Amino acid sequence: MDRRTFLRISGAVPVAGLGAWPPPDDWARLRRQLAGPLFRPGDPGYPEAKQGYFTMYDERMPAAVVGAARVEDVQAAVAFAARHRLPIAARSGGHSYPGYSTVDGGIVVDLSRFSGVDVCGDGRAVIGAGARLGPIATTLAAAGRVLPAGSCDTVGIAGLALGGGVGVLDRKYGLTCDHLEAARIVTADGRARTVSQAAEPDLFWALRGGGGGNFGIVTGFTFRTVPLTDVATFDLKFPAGTQAALFTAWQDWQPAMPDELWSGMNLGGDHANLGGTFLGPKAQLDALLDDLIRRVGTPPIQQRRQVQDHLSAMRSFDDRESRPGLAIDRAAYVGTSRMLLRRAPDPAAVVGVLLSAPGVDTIIDAGGGAIARVGVHETAFPHRRALASFQFLRGAEPERGGEAEARQAVAVARDGLGPEFGTTGYVNYLDPEMPDWAEAYYGVNLPRLRAVARKYDPRGIFAFPQGLSAPRSTVHIGET
């Protein structure tokens, strides 16, 4: 979907007025309202300010980037976008797979200045929506605490938590969203609200797994944390040709493991790797891994098993070196997903589909444990009973055919799997070409989520191509 098509169907601005709307005086007035900077095309700093994590979307041209420095800046940006019918999107870490946080022709609200991490005496953590996972983990560890989350340092906490929050400790502790106690959010009417189980519980429910960008702009969170402990980690590399044997063994072995053991696989055309964490004695871990190796029937060609402090353990899972096309700060790759709902009766056929997808890596994260002990309707995250999530990644560099060819490749894996995967997907791995995307991401919770979106965003201020809000209305705030 190109820029003009998106703006036309969203009701944003007249196509003929792309360069002249809103008037310069209105932009000047907004600039004066802000404590943080406003970057417009042609301004110094605009090319850097508009960039997200993925280089494929560098040609997109937001009408403005608001470097929000306070909640009032977010409120001003929302009111301005509503008044002028402009698309608006929040940016935390900027890792949106389809680049939805680089909204063409609209306003990007950059939350990177909301990066504070404060640990309370009772172990709760108050975290700004622009904080990244690396600094969060470091600050919490210094206070002897851990927030179960992902392991990629540069991912923003907002996107992760709002979509659920899969991580390497979640079989023991649950998803990141399961630790959320309150959120501060600016809704479409410009109000700054603090929501919790006791205050506006329907919106609080939706923010725990209902996906980023759907209900407003979250500016901060309060999370429960858990005590810091050492973590046993492991990494087993099996020879090429054992992908099917490893998956066959793993899908019977992992569900029988104690909650303390989490594992993930990385399967590609020339590799079959298994890594994970264990919150228990290394001797017990050794026995569990030796059992898996016996089931595979082929010993690993390389393995590592060690006990590490929490920060070192998390950094060992940071995927800077394993993601396709990954640079230190930015990347070019696409992704999509499915959820394994039940044991695959023909695991070799599943692996055959995965290996038939050209140049695609498959990352499989175990489910179960504490994740599954939360009811499907207790939070918006619908895939509580899934055995695992499957993420399919492929580099999208120009020399590899770019984004279009990469999306064709991951679709081979996404659409070729059997009924045990259903119509499913993980909303934090948004795919603009996902069939039946709303059902895939939200499942049985979709009707309630749409009702919450209608309640808090009746005019579709936060509408985007895979959003839950209705299409953007032409009614201005203040009109009846």
Side-chain angles (χ1 to χ4, degrees), residues 107-196:
I107 296 177
V108 173
V109 179
D110 175 10
L111 297 168
S112 61
R113 293 163 181 81
F114 288 76
S115 58
V117 181
D118 297 308
V119 186
C120 305
D122 60 2
R124 288 175 172 80
V126 180
I127 301 176
R132 308 290 181 98
L133 299 189
I136 291 171
T138 300
T139 302
L140 292 179
R145 309 297 296 183
V146 171
L147 174 64
S151 57
C152 180
D153 278 0
T154 60
V155 165
I157 185 62
L160 178 85
L162 295 172
V166 169
V168 300
L169 302 175
D170 49 15
R171 294 190 78 252
K172 173 64 175 177
Y173 295 120
L175 303 174
T176 307
C177 73
D178 296 336
H179 294 259
L180 183 63
E181 293 205 333
R184 292 161 294 286
I185 181 172
V186 175
T187 46
D189 57 5
R191 287 181 56 191
R193 308 167 187 256
T194 297
V195 301
S196 66

Side-chain angles (χ1 to χ4, degrees), residues 85 200 268:
R85 303 189 295 278
E200 303 190 76

